[in-house]
Amino acid sequence: MGKGYQLTHSLMAFGRGEWFGVGLGAGMEKQGYLPEAHNDFLMAVIGEELGFVGVVALMLLFGWLIWRAFLIGRQAIALDRVYSALVAQGIGVWLGTQALVHAGVSMGALPTKGLTLPLMSFGGSALITICLSLAILLRVDFENRLLMRGKPV
């Protein structure tokens, strides 16, 4: 098959999923046809099993997470905590960019980069860094809430 093997099978997975998918666990591409299905092409597996509706729902959830990160950053700016605000918004940009690049690669809109899907892909070090960044985001939100109540940090 040569060049484009992964992308070809990724697009076949999206095509097989259609609107509502074939059902959880019923996908064929993850059974060895699509290499690195648990890491680099997880969105294709989700598209096959949950369909277009599942992919849109997943992207909306990532959008909500990014919106919350920016909202936490705006609250920190209002409390005159510029560094915390930049950290929170930077985490939002990082997660959003990584999710969009992963989706774009899986759909063939971007060249293959090997980025994992945040919070979902199998990679151990990627999962640890995402969880640590979300812990930092939660800490910024916690400190914002303390300051809004008038308690010292």
Side-chain angles (χ1 to χ4, degrees):
M1 297 263 281
K3 296 180 181 179
Y5 179 80
Q6 284 181 310
L7 182 58
T8 301
H9 279 275
S10 175
L11 294 176
M12 285 172 28
F14 277 113
R16 189 164 182 259
E18 295 182 354
W19 285 100
F20 297 103
V22 296
L24 278 176
M28 293 298 297
E29 291 297 328
K30 68 179 178 185
Q31 310 250 339
Y33 297 107
L34 181 61
E36 298 297 321
H38 59 284
N39 279 339
D40 300 344
F41 286 91
L42 186 60
M43 185 69 76
V45 174
I46 293 169
E48 182 181 19
E49 294 187 357
L50 300 178
F52 178 74
V53 173
V55 170
V56 168
L58 182 65
M59 293 310 285
L60 286 174
L61 287 172
F62 276 118
W64 177 80
L65 182 64
I66 295 159
W67 175 73
R68 284 295 300 156
F70 274 89
L71 188 64
I72 291 168
R74 264 192 289 168
Q75 286 175 347
I77 286 175
L79 295 169
D80 201 30
R81 302 181 68 231
V82 178
Y83 180 75
S84 296
L86 291 175
V87 167
Q89 292 176 350
I91 289 171
V93 168
W94 173 36
L95 291 175
T97 303
Q98 192 167 347
L100 283 176
V101 167
H102 181 87
V105 165
S106 295
M107 294 176 202
L110 296 172
T112 305
K113 293 292 171 200
L115 278 177
T116 59
L117 187 62
L119 296 170
M120 298 188 77
S121 291
F122 178 71
S125 59
L127 190 60
I128 288 172
T129 56
I130 294 292
C131 287
L132 287 174
S133 68
L134 289 178
I136 292 169
L137 187 62
L138 287 171
R139 180 63 191 195
V140 171
D141 186 43
F142 175 73
E143 290 178 2
N144 285 349
R145 290 172 192 263
L146 281 179
L147 286 174
M148 285 190 286
R149 290 183 188 139
K151 298 179 182 176
V153 176

